């Protein structure tokens, strides 16, 4: 049975690339909000957005952060990482800069968003990036590489979340 995951990404910059990953089909992802729905959600302010995110994350076992050029700086991506981690979900990143956009262009590689977080494990403060992997597919065949590995990466992320002290 396919895992149910929550995809986190910078919508404005990476929706096209993210849709490629979301459509791979090896896992069940969250249904994206339509542009009209998203506008209504945003009208409710920050708390309404966070509430919507929490609802979308219910019943998911992993947060898959699709890392584009500006992803690490996005407030709600950071919220999704933090909420997913605190809810005990697996968390992983996939750099998507080598996937082509609708015009056939790639983009510069973004920063690792997990570098911004610290977790306490056995009394030690540890950068989340030491525990959570950020996979960087090769420039040639990035889509196939992601497709071939996504299910295993998700299982690994869930395992890591349940066995954190092994990775410190």
């Amino acid at each position: 049975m396919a895992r149910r995951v929550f995809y986190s990404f910078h919508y404005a910059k990476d929706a096209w690339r993210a849709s490629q990953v979301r459509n791979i089909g090896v896992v069940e992802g969250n249904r994206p909000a339509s542009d009209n729905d998203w506008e209504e959600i945003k009208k409710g302010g920050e708390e309404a957005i966070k509430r919507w995110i929490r609802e979308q994350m219910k019943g998911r076992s992993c947060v898959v952060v699709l890392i584009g050029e500006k992803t690490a700086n996005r407030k709600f991506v950071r919220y999704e990482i933090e909420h997913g981690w605190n809810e005990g979900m697996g968390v992983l990143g996939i750099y998507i800069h080598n996937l082509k956009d609708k015009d056939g262009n790639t983009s510069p590689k973004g920063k690792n968003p997990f570098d911004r977080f610290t977790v306490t494990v056995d009394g030690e403060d540890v950068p989340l990036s030491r525990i959570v992997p950020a996979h960087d597919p090769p420039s040639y065949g990035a889509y196939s590489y992601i497709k071939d590995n996504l299910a295993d990466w998700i299982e690994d992320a869930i395992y890591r979340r349940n066995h954190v002290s092994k990775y410190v």
Side-chain angles (χ1 to χ4, degrees):
M1 183 163 115
R3 289 283 191 179
R4 297 183 72 218
V5 303
F6 179 88
Y7 286 104
S8 176
F9 57 95
H10 179 189
Y11 184 82
K13 297 287 277 178
D14 296 319
W16 187 272
R17 289 179 180 90
S19 71
Q20 292 175 59
V21 177
R22 295 167 63 96
N23 291 327
I24 285 174
V26 296
V27 296
E28 181 184 331
N30 54 303
R31 184 181 71 63
S34 70
D35 290 341
N36 291 341
D37 290 343
W38 183 241
E39 290 306 316
E40 281 302 309
I41 295 163
K42 287 190 331 186
K43 285 180 186 176
E46 187 169 323
E47 283 309 310
I49 294 170
K50 288 180 177 181
R51 190 170 39 255
W52 180 83
I53 290 168
R54 289 189 302 270
E55 275 301 309
Q56 295 298 308
M57 292 179 107
K58 282 185 180 174
R60 307 294 168 174
S61 54
C62 189
V63 177
V64 178
V65 182
L66 302 175
I67 308 168
E69 181 181 6
K70 308 278 185 185
T71 305
N73 298 324
R74 303 303 296 175
K75 173 173 46 175
F76 293 115
V77 169
R78 291 192 310 268
Y79 178 77
E80 291 160 354
I81 293 167
E82 182 175 22
H83 182 72
W85 183 262
N86 289 341
E87 290 296 308
M89 295 178 193
V91 178
L92 72 105
I94 303 171
Y95 288 99
I96 58 172
H97 63 286
N98 284 326
L99 292 175
K100 294 182 179 174
D101 66 12
K102 64 180 174 33
D103 298 318
N105 299 315
T106 58
S107 70
K109 184 177 178 181
K111 293 180 182 176
N112 185 330
F114 310 121
D115 287 339
R116 300 181 79 129
F117 295 90
T118 303
V119 295
T120 303
V121 179
D122 299 330
E124 179 185 352
D125 288 339
V126 178
L128 189 59
S129 57
R130 270 184 50 195
I131 301 165
V132 173
H135 302 281
D136 191 2
S139 58
Y140 180 78
Y143 176 84
S144 294
Y145 188 82
I146 294 168
K147 182 178 180 181
D148 291 346
N149 291 288
L150 182 58
D152 290 337
W153 291 340
I154 291 167
E155 292 304 319
D156 177 63
I158 294 166
Y159 181 85
R160 285 171 177 264
R161 181 63 183 98
N162 292 326
H163 301 90
V164 172
S165 59
K166 284 186 165 189
Y167 298 93
V168 177

